[in-house]
Amino acid sequence: MGIEGSKQQVLDYLRRHRGEYISGEELSKKLAITRTAVWKHIQALRREGYQIDAQTRRGYCLLSIPDCLYPEEVAAGLRTSWLGRNLYYYDEVGSTNQVAKELADSGAPEGTVVIAEAQTGGRGRRGRSWISPPRKGIWFSVVLRPRVVPAQASQLTLLAAVAVTAAVRSHTGLPPGIKWPNDLLAGGRKVCGILTEIKAEIDAIEYVVLGTGLNVNLEATDFSPEVRPLATSLLLELGRPVARLPLFQELLYQLEKWYERWQEEGFEPVRRAWKEASVTLGREVAVNSWRDVFRGVAVDIDAEGALLVRGAGGEVRRFTSGEVSLRTAS
Ligand code: BTN
């Protein structure tokens, strides 16, 4: 067994006896390693942020685990059956979407997840960048291989928004609103963005990479001055920090649940949940599409997830892509 493996065993042992003091001798006997090795592993775990008390006659006691998204910690409380079971963790990476696409290209199975504590080249929609400072958000990408035609892939982006909304609501009590197609707003500002990338042939999807950036504990100063008026975080909305690890586990659980439901029952249940959480429908909007800017009232999303907007003359236009701005009532 390698060093990492036996360090993991020390952690697992302490975790199973959480709140109890375990002697160095017991650890060394049970795990068949020297007491010096036990001590070295304890030191390494402390450097990773685990709080471990050491007392001369009593031994070691695990007091707290860090709010890091280490794969072992994620796996320890994960309620999914397949999503996130193949997990790639990075302390820092360019873009988790980029890594996920490379993995998908080399055959990574459905449900593979790439998570990073920080991104140096986080990407947003329409070529924008995505601010991803260390340990303050949940920056992750999922590889999916849905058995649907490429035209239906955009339903997945709405599904992701529904799943993230459900996870945030159940974990924090804060109910985000969804701006079409999949921006999550809190207090009128963007708290989460989703970037969907797809590789497909004309009639079959090879894979979809669903990249989610959830602003958890960012302070106002973490955002650039241009983004600041438009962006927010769970910390800023709730006035308290939010533990990322259980929230991430809940995100994966909700994503798996909604994805399976979509594959079994189709888009209608997703559509209903999306409409319930929508802050777009019934509002005056301006839709910036490749064609023009169209103003009107957002009236519905259709059975494919496209946005229907009624213009001043009563004509209804259908959008499958575009950037929506909500116009404030004057
Ligand atoms: C948007 O512009 O609203 C989409 C933002 C998506 C950001 C996430 S963070 C994790 C993943 N990796 C990226 O480079 N982008 C997505």
Side-chain angles (χ1 to χ4, degrees):
M1 158 129 4
I3 293 182
E4 280 304 309
S6 58
K7 183 182 80 187
Q8 188 56 39
Q9 285 193 319
V10 170
L11 177 59
D12 288 345
Y13 201 89
L14 292 178
R15 204 203 302 267
R16 282 201 298 278
H17 298 85
R18 188 89 184 256
E20 291 171 38
Y21 280 83
I22 308 293
S23 69
E25 194 186 344
E26 179 175 339
L27 280 166
S28 128
K29 275 202 183 126
K30 289 273 186 301
L31 308 178
I33 53 177
T34 65
R35 301 220 7 209
T36 318
V38 169
W39 173 240
K40 281 192 179 148
H41 292 323
I42 297 284
Q43 297 289 73
L45 288 166
R46 282 175 169 165
R47 280 195 298 275
E48 287 170 25
Y50 292 88
Q51 264 192 309
I52 301 170
D53 188 35
Q55 291 199 7
T56 324
R57 262 176 296 278
R58 300 174 74 194
Y60 305 106
C61 175
L62 177 61
L63 299 177
S64 73
I65 57 173
D67 188 32
C68 289
L69 304 171
Y70 297 136
E72 314 80 56
E73 294 302 336
V74 174
L78 195 57
R79 290 196 288 153
T80 62
S81 50
W82 51 272
L83 200 148
R85 295 285 162 190
N86 186 28
L87 184 66
Y88 290 79
Y89 169 88
Y90 294 87
D91 194 42
E92 185 181 280
V93 81
S95 153
T96 56
N97 261 38
Q98 188 54 39
V99 175
K101 282 193 290 180
E102 286 163 14
L103 288 167
D105 277 326
S106 43
E110 172 153 87
T112 298
V113 170
V114 180
I115 177 86
E117 301 287 5
Q119 294 183 117
T120 49
R123 300 192 351 244
R125 292 172 64 208
R126 306 191 154 220
R128 297 192 191 104
S129 58
W130 187 260
I131 295 165
S132 324
R135 294 182 171 72
K136 292 200 171 182
I138 302 181
W139 328 121
F140 75 107
S141 303
V142 182
V143 176
L144 295 170
R145 299 184 184 273
R147 291 160 295 282
V148 296
V149 294
Q152 287 169 293
S154 60
Q155 296 175 1
L156 254 180
T157 67
L158 275 67
L159 178 156
V162 165
V164 178
T165 303
V168 170
R169 191 177 346 130
S170 80
H171 187 70
T172 68
L174 181 89
I178 310 175
K179 180 168 81 80
W180 187 88
N182 58 12
D183 284 349
L184 263 60
L185 307 186
R189 295 173 183 207
K190 185 154 158 175
V191 70
C192 174
I194 297 165
L195 177 66
T196 314
E197 299 189 77
I198 175 167
K199 184 163 178 193
E201 298 196 351
I202 203 85
D203 57 349
I205 293 176
E206 191 182 322
Y207 62 77
V208 172
V209 165
L210 209 60
T212 303
L214 177 59
N215 299 334
V216 182
N217 292 323
L218 285 85
E219 317 264 357
T221 48
D222 288 315
F223 298 110
S224 62
E226 309 82 68
V227 167
R228 206 168 295 157
L230 309 169
T232 191
S233 69
L234 298 177
L235 167 76
L236 291 170
E237 294 306 310
L238 293 163
R240 59 173 169 85
V242 171
R244 293 177 312 144
L245 177 64
L247 176 53
F248 181 48
Q249 290 162 332
E250 184 66 20
L251 282 167
L252 298 180
Y253 173 72
Q254 292 290 343
L255 264 173
E256 179 179 284
K257 193 179 92 178
W258 279 102
Y259 182 74
E260 286 182 346
R261 197 160 175 204
W262 175 63
Q263 296 263 279
E264 279 156 27
E265 297 175 41
F267 185 55
E268 194 45 36
V270 176
R271 179 169 175 263
R272 278 199 301 274
W274 189 98
K275 285 177 73 164
E276 261 168 45
S278 156
V279 289
T280 315
L281 300 183
R283 294 278 299 269
E284 291 249 359
V285 297
V287 189
N288 198 334
S289 68
W290 55 271
R291 220 161 104 185
D292 55 11
V293 179
F294 186 76
R295 291 174 214 286
V297 176
V299 284
D300 208 351
I301 53 164
D302 69 13
E304 270 84 53
L307 182 68
L308 306 176
V309 181
R310 183 181 298 118
E315 76 285 18
V316 174
R317 228 161 94 174
R318 179 176 188 271
F319 292 92
T320 51
S321 65
E323 182 90 344
V324 169
S325 9
L326 302 174
R327 304 173 71 205
T328 41
S330 52

